[in-house]
Amino acid sequence: MFQEVKHRNGQYTIELELLLEVPADYIERALLDFDRLPELNPAITSVETMASPKPDTTRVRTHIHTCFWFRCIDLDHVEDVSRLQPGLIQAVTIRELSDFETGFSQWEIRPLDEQTYIHFSSGFDPRQDEVPLIGPMIAKYVIRNEAMQTYENIEQRYRNEIQNVSPR
């Protein structure tokens, strides 16, 4: 597993490589099930899907409430999300509708033996004045933890679902 969060010139980037004990198609469905995103990432408090001007793309507004130890912030994030091909999802921030100057995310998801390999990369530049007050070190810690919790929650949801399936 590889994890890296960086901060440079106001922009945060995160790159993760990990293996999950979950089928690749399940992971894709979980990431694209926008209504259930708050179950995966507790910082996401609400989700709204909107009409997108692009075909094969869903415009998604998420409201994020996250706390950095002693300070909490609220951010609205609007992205155009596309499944470019099986195993490849991309999201691009819509600056005019978001509390972010820039933003992108990409998920590469593929089966690897009995596991699924995920390569997640993301970069974003929040506009919020509060973010500089908490400092990049604390922000990087929270960003990494929230990302890892998302994947742990996907794995946990999958385990719960397969345990609840009774044999016929």
Side-chain angles (χ1 to χ4, degrees), residues 48-53 57-62 78-80 97:
E48 174 190 1
T49 54
M50 308 161 65
S52 174
T57 298
T58 304
R59 184 161 285 180
V60 181
R61 176 191 308 272
T62 54
V78 179
E79 298 172 285
D80 280 344
L97 301 174

Side-chain angles (χ1 to χ4, degrees), residues 73-126:
I73 61 172
D74 289 282
L75 300 164
D76 284 315
H77 195 193
V78 179
E79 298 172 285
D80 280 344
V81 181
S82 304
R83 182 177 183 247
L84 302 176
Q85 63 188 40
L88 186 60
I89 300 169
Q90 183 178 61
V92 178
T93 297
I94 308 303
R95 179 183 186 272
E96 300 79 22
L97 301 174
S98 299
D99 290 326
F100 293 84
E101 290 291 330
T102 60
F104 72 92
S105 296
Q106 184 167 300
W107 294 262
E108 177 188 343
I109 305 160
R110 67 174 187 263
L112 185 66
D113 300 322
E114 298 296 315
Q115 299 175 312
T116 297
Y117 167 83
I118 299 173
H119 178 239
F120 171 68
S121 59
S122 183
F124 52 92
D125 182 0

Side-chain angles (χ1 to χ4, degrees), residues 13-70:
T13 58
I14 181 169
E15 189 166 349
L16 299 174
E17 289 185 350
L18 57 144
L19 294 172
L20 294 184
E21 303 283 334
V22 178
D25 62 331
Y26 184 92
I27 295 168
E28 277 192 64
R29 284 194 313 273
L31 292 171
L32 294 171
D33 186 355
F34 304 117
D35 292 335
R36 293 184 71 188
L37 287 178
E39 296 173 21
L40 301 180
N41 184 336
I44 298 173
T45 59
S46 67
V47 178
E48 174 190 1
T49 54
M50 308 161 65
S52 174
K54 300 176 189 173
D56 301 322
T57 298
T58 304
R59 184 161 285 180
V60 181
R61 176 191 308 272
T62 54
H63 181 78
I64 302 162
H65 177 81
T66 190
C67 295
F68 302 84
W69 293 339
F70 56 89

